[in-house]
Amino acid sequence: MSEILILYYSRHGSVARMARQIARGVESVSGATARLRTVPPVSADCEKTGPDVPDSGAPYVEARDLKECSGLILGSPTRFGNMAAPLKYFLDGTSGLWLSGALAGKPAAVFTSTGSLHGGQETTLLSMALPLLHHGMLLVGLPYTEPALNTTQSGGTPYGASHHAGTGAQPRALSREEETLCQALGRRVAGVALKLQ
């Protein structure tokens, strides 16, 4: 069985919804399964610590999740064209995995959600890809052979799945094309992971 780790940070739920669609894509591939994990928030308040286990949703990631996975799909909301601080903070602590080469040669992909349509989706995806390249991972994108990439009026890029959530109090639901592209990304990473085993 090829296990694909879907690791994300989600502040308002849009990235978590994308992660679940990506997991559906992974699990549609025979011989593949998805492992959903998140990272804890970071705070400038150094006196307060967060709970060891999130109140709801995916459990917090551990180093063993990365060691055990056959592939990694990384997700974050966009913060000024970059990944959110909690995900960056976690990745900054993976030097041991980098030194051991634990992720080298495994397939990886990225996904994001933004408040505005041109709010830095592609730069965020590229910012998440950089540490994956340093780990020696094999990046998998979304080619234009995916029909939804040619018809989407919201999110979707060749660099990875994306979603335009809007800036209102209630985030926009994923469009049909965004869901399709999330699932396609999951299928592509799972397929590559199985071929590499």
Side-chain angles (χ1 to χ4, degrees), residues 5-86:
L5 175 61
I6 302 168
L7 174 59
Y8 66 91
Y9 173 71
S10 187
R11 179 76 186 262
H12 300 292
S14 293
V15 175
R17 284 188 286 282
M18 293 179 76
R20 289 190 292 275
Q21 290 298 320
I22 291 168
R24 285 182 62 190
V26 167
E27 296 192 341
S28 72
V29 176
S30 178
T33 186
R35 183 187 297 194
L36 288 165
R37 294 292 184 266
T38 190
V39 296
V42 295
S43 170
D45 184 356
C46 60
E47 297 298 319
K48 182 180 176 187
T49 60
D52 290 335
V53 178
D55 294 334
S56 63
Y60 289 140
V61 68
E62 298 176 13
R64 71 176 180 84
D65 292 311
L66 291 164
K67 288 180 191 172
E68 294 171 357
C69 74
S70 300
L72 172 64
I73 307 175
L74 199 61
S76 172
T78 293
R79 296 292 183 262
F80 301 105
N82 206 332
M83 74 179 96

Side-chain angles (χ1 to χ4, degrees), residues 128-153:
M128 288 189 289
L130 294 176
L132 303 179
L133 288 169
H134 276 264
H135 275 286
M137 300 194 84
L138 308 172
L139 291 181
V140 176
L142 285 168
Y144 281 93
T145 55
E146 292 294 337
L149 199 55
N150 290 302
T151 60
T152 183
Q153 296 294 306

Side-chain angles (χ1 to χ4, degrees), residues 92-114:
D92 284 348
T94 61
S95 297
L97 294 170
W98 171 73
L99 287 168
S100 71
L103 297 173
K106 295 180 181 182
V110 291
F111 64 102
T112 191
S113 176
T114 56

